[in-house]
Amino acid sequence: MLGSGLGLFAAGAQGSTLEQIQRSGEFRFCFESGYMPFEMTDKGGDFIGFDIDIAKAMARSVNVEFVPVNTGWDGIIPALQTNKCDLILGMTVTPERNLSVNFAEPYFDAGQTVLIRPALADGIDSYRQLNDENYTVTAQLGTTGEYAIKRHLGRAKVRLFESSADAAQEVANGRADAFVYDISYNAVYAAQNPGRLVHLDQAFTYGPLGWAVRKGDGDFLNFLNNYLRQIREDGSYDRLYHKWFKSDAWVGRVQ
């Protein structure tokens, strides 16, 4: 199914990252576990998720070992730049980030939505209504949720947290009014916390997720873009999408 990726790898193995992967026999992927359902840790301590499955298949396609590098979000770009990994999984493409890294073509649209505490549901049906100093909005530090708040909810009080789970939990526990993050994460979190949160599920930003690599590595970008095109065309992408976004069979495995 993914075997033709080996020929692509051999044809493009001129760039430094591709040469390094081929020489070491390891393909190292940076991510921050806890980004549902893309990158998570199961009850046995293994990493699972949509991105993880794609990364494992990518490594198999070029006959090298998949190596996970779980990294705090605030240090993930420096980790890539200092060669602690070969690419970053699941990073929203922004102009500011593009100054530090290059991105392959987007593979997912993860626009921002809002989780609100249930007491507000009767009076609030749009993110715009939260743009008021009477509301406290949370987000994870350094994420597109934080950027969206700065751009669209500048009048609201803002509280930032080290993890998305902590930021969302603040709203679920009634200590804040709303949490801003990617639509896929918010949908799963709301489903896991019935009655504690209400999901305003209309995305109000465009959130293209892409694979981030070190700047100036055109051969590696060519490999990644062709790999993405291949899995979209051969059905692999759709099968994984169904597994992680259409089915909830995985939910019980997560810590």
Side-chain angles (χ1 to χ4, degrees), residues 5 30 80 82 84 87 116 153 160-161 196 215 221 239:
C30 267
L80 176 69
T82 56
K84 292 181 174 64
L87 66 77
I116 62 173
L153 302 174
L160 301 176
F161 293 80
R196 302 181 67 201
K215 290 184 70 66
L221 287 176
R239 284 190 288 275

Side-chain angles (χ1 to χ4, degrees), residues 102-156:
N102 287 158
F103 287 97
E105 290 297 317
Y107 68 95
F108 196 93
D109 182 6
Q112 302 298 288
T113 60
V114 181
L115 297 176
I116 62 173
R117 55 187 179 90
L120 299 179
D122 288 340
I124 291 181
D125 59 11
S126 167
Y127 74 95
R128 292 185 179 88
Q129 294 165 276
L130 295 166
N131 190 24
D132 187 297
E133 63 184 8
N134 292 316
Y135 295 116
T136 298
V137 183
T138 70
Q140 182 182 1
L141 182 69
T143 64
T144 44
E146 179 188 355
Y147 303 151
I149 290 172
K150 289 178 179 177
R151 182 173 181 180
H152 298 282
L153 302 174
R155 296 177 183 173

Side-chain angles (χ1 to χ4, degrees), residues 20-21 44 58-59 62 64 86 97 108 110 117 124 141 147 152 161 192 215-216 224-225 230 235 248 250:
Q20 177 177 293
I21 291 169
M58 190 186 300
V62 293
V64 296
D86 301 312
R97 287 172 177 164
F108 196 93
R117 55 187 179 90
I124 291 181
L141 182 69
Y147 303 151
H152 298 282
F161 293 80
Q192 291 181 320
K215 290 184 70 66
L224 293 171
N225 288 334
Q230 180 178 324
D248 62 359
W250 57 267

